[in-house]
């Protein structure tokens, strides 16, 4: 089993930046991919970004392309989400996800470990 802990959420104004972190512990010895999803109140879970084992492949949801950047540090078993030029519609709980395959992409069913989430609120 893998435990994921997100951090870095908070309240920011529109146009500001925020960096989320996800620390993975447990069975992380094999190749794995990570991703970020988010869920706003009253809405379905939405794909934000994904990154492959080698960081050679990244993918972003249409609503965050050009503003968010996903990265990872395999030495630290961590993933990050740099969020720039934030908008009120980015407000949501952000979840880190983990899968024991090379790349999971945007399909949440590929991810078998999830964090508890961190709240991000963007004021206008």
């Amino acid at each position: 089993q893998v435990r994921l802990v997100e951090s870095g959420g908070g309240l920011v104004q529109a146009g500001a930046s925020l960096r989320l972190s996800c620390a993975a512990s447990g069975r992380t010895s094999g190749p794995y991919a990570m991703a970020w999803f988010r869920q706003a109140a009253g809405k379905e879970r939405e794909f934000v970004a994904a990154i492959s084992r080698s960081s050679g492949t990244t993918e972003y949801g249409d609503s965050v392309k050009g503003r968010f950047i996903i990265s990872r540090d395999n030495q630290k078993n961590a993933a990050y989400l740099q969020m720039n030029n934030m908008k009120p519609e980015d407000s949501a709980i952000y979840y880190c996800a983990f899968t024991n395959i090379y790349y999971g992409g945007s399909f949440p069913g590929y991810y078998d470990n999830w964090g508890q989430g961190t709240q991000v609120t963007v004021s206008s």
Side-chain angles (χ1 to χ4, degrees), residues 4-117:
L4 303 174
V5 178
E6 302 97 335
S7 61
L11 172 64
V12 297
Q13 290 188 330
S17 297
L18 205 59
R19 187 186 192 223
L20 303 183
S21 298
C22 174
S25 60
R27 301 184 64 178
T28 60
S29 58
Y32 60 88
M34 300 182 78
W36 291 93
F37 291 78
R38 67 186 183 187
Q39 187 165 17
K43 296 187 177 181
E44 294 186 351
R45 181 171 48 189
E46 176 188 13
F47 169 72
V48 177
I51 188 166
S52 64
R53 166 69 176 92
S54 66
S55 301
T57 300
T58 58
E59 183 179 354
Y60 296 93
D62 289 341
S63 61
V64 305
K65 282 181 182 177
R67 299 189 298 121
F68 290 12
I69 301 171
I70 188 171
S71 61
R72 62 187 289 172
D73 184 336
N74 292 333
Q75 295 298 316
K76 297 181 178 179
N77 291 325
Y80 308 96
L81 185 67
Q82 178 67 42
M83 304 184 291
N84 302 316
N85 189 23
M86 298 185 70
K87 304 176 181 180
E89 49 265 42
D90 293 323
S91 298
I93 298 175
Y94 283 70
Y95 298 92
C96 178
F98 175 106
T99 178
N100 286 107
I101 59 176
Y102 182 84
Y103 182 63
S106 62
F107 181 52
Y110 283 140
Y111 298 91
D112 43 19
N113 291 276
W114 295 79
Q116 293 299 308

